């Protein structure tokens, strides 16, 4: 049996791929370490690309809806749109921070002022129960306990903790400095991407057409276009859902006359950008704020939060975000559950648009196969097995009636 050159190349590539896969499994630690090292090098650029994608959702709307539609600033509209986008994003972050930090500082000051009275109450309790404590001390004296040994163990334990705290502080400082450097590099890279996105997209397409060919590149670009539209819709839907839940909290807290209604609603809306669990962070802040005013209202706030969270998580979020990404509500819940179990909060952020992309691709594939096979649409448009069975019985009865007439 003779093979042509193309078949020989394919066999050689498959053989090399199998050998590489075997060596990778045999040296899995080396592969994982190399992957982490490479990911650490590329982390600023990955972060910059993600920041550019998120900022482009707002920048593209500003550029098209305001400047291109009205013919304003034909040459510098890209730079002006980018500046407006950065002003809006960082302005919102600054407003939220300036709203939260002073109020949290005031709460800590209030706690500090209440500490002396709490300490006085504790001293009164200690004096009232000193007899029990004395009895416990006498019982401890009667026991054969080696206090020197206990003190040595405690001193060694504290020394180990001190060493771990020093090492942890150094590691934390190194991680913070690295994160700041990665953020700065990523931000600069994101600015460059946003200012020259058409040029970079053209270069990317040119390289793909040269390496993959026209038909494969067209398919890859269709998937990339669908993914981009899906992720953009997800970001828009997430922002809309955050505004809705913030409004729900503000209206409910205003009706119930709870303190800090505006502040807590803004915090919950801001943290709700993290799917499902983000608003829980805002709930903790709200409980701390209300607890200083009225502990009973803090308990009522927790009950109110649980009720609104159920309504938002099971009704509002799947409907709003599902419509924005073109994914049915049931699959939004499935994507959140699977993504959260696999990758935590990051999985919740990624799996909804990913599932939407797979859903759209699979739907296109199924419709194409059905169109090619020529199956009658009534086969799947009938609602339920009972109606199909009823239709078969009706058709069978009509056939029997026709046979009786023929006889």
């Amino acid at each position: 049996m003779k093979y042509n050159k193309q078949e020989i190349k394919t066999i050689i590539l498959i053989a090399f791929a199998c050998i590489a896969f075997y060596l990778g499994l045999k040296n899995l630690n080396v592969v994982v370490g190399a992957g982490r090292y490479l990911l650490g090098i590329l982390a600023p650029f990955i972060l910059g690309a993600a920041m550019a994608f998120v900022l482009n959702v707002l920048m593209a709307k500003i550029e098209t809806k305001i400047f291109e539609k009205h013919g304003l600033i034909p040459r510098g509209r890209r730079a002006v749109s980018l500046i407006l986008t950065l002003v809006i994003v960082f302005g919102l972050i600054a407003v939220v921070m300036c709203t939260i930090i002073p109020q949290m500082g005031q709460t800590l000051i209030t706690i500090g002022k209440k500490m002396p009275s709490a300490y006085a109450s504790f001293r009164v309790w200690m004096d009232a129960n000193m007899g029990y404590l004395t009895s416990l001390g006498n019982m401890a004296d009667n026991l054969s306990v080696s206090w020197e040994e206990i003190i040595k163990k405690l001193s060694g334990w504290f020394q180990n903790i001190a060493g771990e705290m020093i090492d942890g502080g150094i590691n934390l400082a190194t991680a913070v400095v690295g994160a700041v450097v990665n953020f700065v590099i990523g931000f600069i890279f994101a600015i460059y991407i946003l200012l020259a996105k058409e040029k970079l997209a053209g270069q990317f397409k040119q390289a793909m057409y040269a390496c993959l060919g026209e038909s494969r590149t067209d398919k890859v670009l269709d998937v990339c276009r669908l993914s981009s539209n899906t992720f953009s819709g997800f970001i828009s839907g997430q922002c809309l859902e955050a505004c809705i839940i913030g409004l729900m909290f503000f209206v409910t807290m205003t009706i119930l006359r709870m303190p800090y209604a505006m502040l807590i609603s803004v915090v919950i809306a801001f943290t709700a950008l993290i799917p499902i669990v983000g608003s829980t962070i805002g709930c903790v802040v709200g409980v701390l704020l209300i607890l200083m005013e009225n502990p009973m209202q803090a308990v009522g706030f927790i009950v109110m939060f649980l009720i609104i969270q159920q309504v938002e998580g099971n009704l509002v979020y799947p409907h709003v975000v599902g419509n924005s990404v073109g994914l049915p509500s049931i699959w939004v819940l499935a994507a959140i559950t699977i993504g959260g179990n696999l990758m935590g909060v990051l999985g919740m952020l990624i799996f909804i648009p990913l599932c939407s992309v797979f859903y759209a691709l699979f739907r296109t594939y199924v419709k194409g196969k059905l169109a090619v096979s020529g199956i009658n649409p009534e086969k799947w448009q009938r609602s339920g097995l009972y109606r199909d069975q009823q239709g078969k019985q009706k058709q069978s009865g009509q056939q029997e009636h026709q046979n009786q007439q023929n006889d």
Side-chain angles (χ1 to χ4, degrees):
M1 183 176 182
K2 296 182 179 180
Y3 297 96
N4 55 31
K5 292 183 178 180
Q6 185 63 34
E7 291 176 343
I8 294 174
K9 289 182 180 180
T10 303
I11 294 173
I12 293 174
L13 288 175
I14 293 174
F16 274 111
C18 293
I19 294 172
F21 182 73
Y22 170 75
L23 292 176
L25 289 178
K26 193 174 181 180
N27 303 279
L28 189 60
N29 295 330
V30 177
V31 175
V32 173
R36 289 180 178 177
Y37 178 75
L38 182 62
L39 185 61
I41 296 175
L42 298 178
F45 305 102
I46 296 173
L47 178 62
M51 292 170 61
F53 183 85
V54 174
L55 293 175
N56 185 63
V57 175
L58 179 59
M59 192 186 84
K61 291 182 179 181
I62 293 175
E63 188 175 359
T64 55
K65 301 293 184 181
I66 297 177
F67 295 107
E68 290 185 3
K69 185 177 181 180
H70 300 284
L72 302 175
I73 317 176
R75 292 187 178 181
R77 64 180 58 165
R78 174 63 52 79
V80 175
S81 300
L82 177 58
I83 293 173
L84 288 177
T85 301
L86 295 177
V87 169
I88 293 173
V89 172
F90 286 105
L92 289 175
I93 295 174
V95 168
V96 173
M97 292 295 113
C98 292
T99 304
I100 296 174
I101 293 175
Q103 192 60 57
M104 291 300 295
Q106 186 64 36
T107 302
L108 293 176
I109 292 173
T110 304
I111 294 174
K113 291 180 179 180
K114 292 184 178 181
M115 285 296 293
S117 60
Y119 177 73
S121 300
F122 177 73
R123 288 297 303 271
V124 171
W125 180 85
M126 286 284 292
D127 294 337
N129 296 275
M130 188 58 68
Y132 298 103
L133 296 176
T134 304
S135 300
L136 291 175
N138 294 330
M139 292 175 61
D141 292 335
N142 295 327
L143 295 175
S144 58
V145 178
S146 178
W147 293 105
E148 294 181 357
E149 187 69 23
I150 293 175
I151 291 172
K152 288 181 180 180
K153 290 183 178 180
L154 288 176
S155 62
W157 182 64
F158 281 119
Q159 288 177 359
N160 293 331
I161 290 180
E164 292 177 358
M165 289 179 64
I166 293 173
D167 294 337
I170 295 173
N171 294 331
L172 179 61
T174 304
V176 170
V177 173
V180 172
V181 172
N182 289 339
F183 177 81
V184 173
I185 297 175
F187 183 73
I188 295 173
F189 186 63
I191 297 298
Y192 178 79
I193 292 175
L194 292 173
L195 291 176
K197 57 183 180 179
E198 286 84 3
K199 182 179 179 180
L200 293 174
Q203 293 174 350
F204 178 73
K205 292 178 182 178
Q206 185 179 6
M208 288 187 64
Y209 278 116
C211 297
L212 300 179
E214 185 176 1
S215 60
R216 293 180 180 178
T217 301
D218 289 337
K219 292 180 181 179
V220 172
L221 291 178
D222 289 337
V223 175
C224 292
R225 194 175 298 110
L226 176 62
S227 302
S228 176
N229 294 332
T230 302
F231 274 81
S232 299
F234 171 72
I235 294 172
S236 301
Q238 193 68 31
C239 294
L240 178 60
E241 189 268 342
C243 295
I244 291 175
I245 190 173
L247 183 61
M248 291 171 63
F249 271 94
F250 177 74
V251 172
T252 307
M253 293 180 68
T254 303
I255 294 174
L256 297 178
R257 296 182 179 180
M258 291 185 177
Y260 308 113
M262 177 61 72
L263 173 62
I264 295 174
S265 301
V266 171
V267 173
I268 290 177
F270 186 75
T271 56
L273 294 174
I274 303 173
I276 302 300
V277 299
S279 56
T280 305
I281 303 173
C283 174
V284 173
V285 176
V287 170
L288 291 176
L289 293 174
I290 299 176
L291 189 63
M292 295 297 102
E293 297 290 334
N294 191 333
M296 292 305 298
Q297 283 189 335
V299 176
F301 175 79
I302 295 175
V303 176
M304 180 196 72
F305 171 80
L306 294 176
I307 296 173
I308 295 179
Q309 185 75 355
Q310 291 297 318
V311 174
E312 182 264 344
N314 295 294
L315 297 177
V316 178
Y317 187 85
H319 183 73
V320 173
V321 179
N323 289 340
S324 64
V325 298
L327 191 66
S329 300
I330 186 173
W331 297 119
V332 173
L333 289 175
I336 292 172
T337 305
I338 296 172
N341 291 330
L342 292 178
M343 301 173 60
V345 176
L346 182 62
M348 294 181 182
L349 288 171
I350 295 177
F351 264 66
I352 294 176
L354 278 182
C355 288
S356 178
V357 172
F358 291 141
Y359 178 81
L361 293 175
F362 185 71
R363 181 178 57 189
T364 303
Y365 170 78
V366 169
K367 289 185 177 180
K369 294 291 288 186
L370 290 175
V372 171
S373 61
I375 299 176
N376 189 356
E378 292 183 357
K379 294 285 187 179
W380 66 83
Q381 288 178 353
R382 296 192 185 102
S383 59
L385 179 64
Y386 173 74
R387 184 170 296 182
D388 290 344
Q389 187 68 26
Q390 189 178 19
K392 290 180 182 179
Q393 292 177 356
K394 183 177 181 181
Q395 184 178 4
S396 177
Q398 291 177 353
Q399 186 65 32
E400 291 178 0
H401 182 69
Q402 184 69 27
N403 294 334
Q404 290 178 359
Q405 288 182 350
N406 292 333
D407 293 342

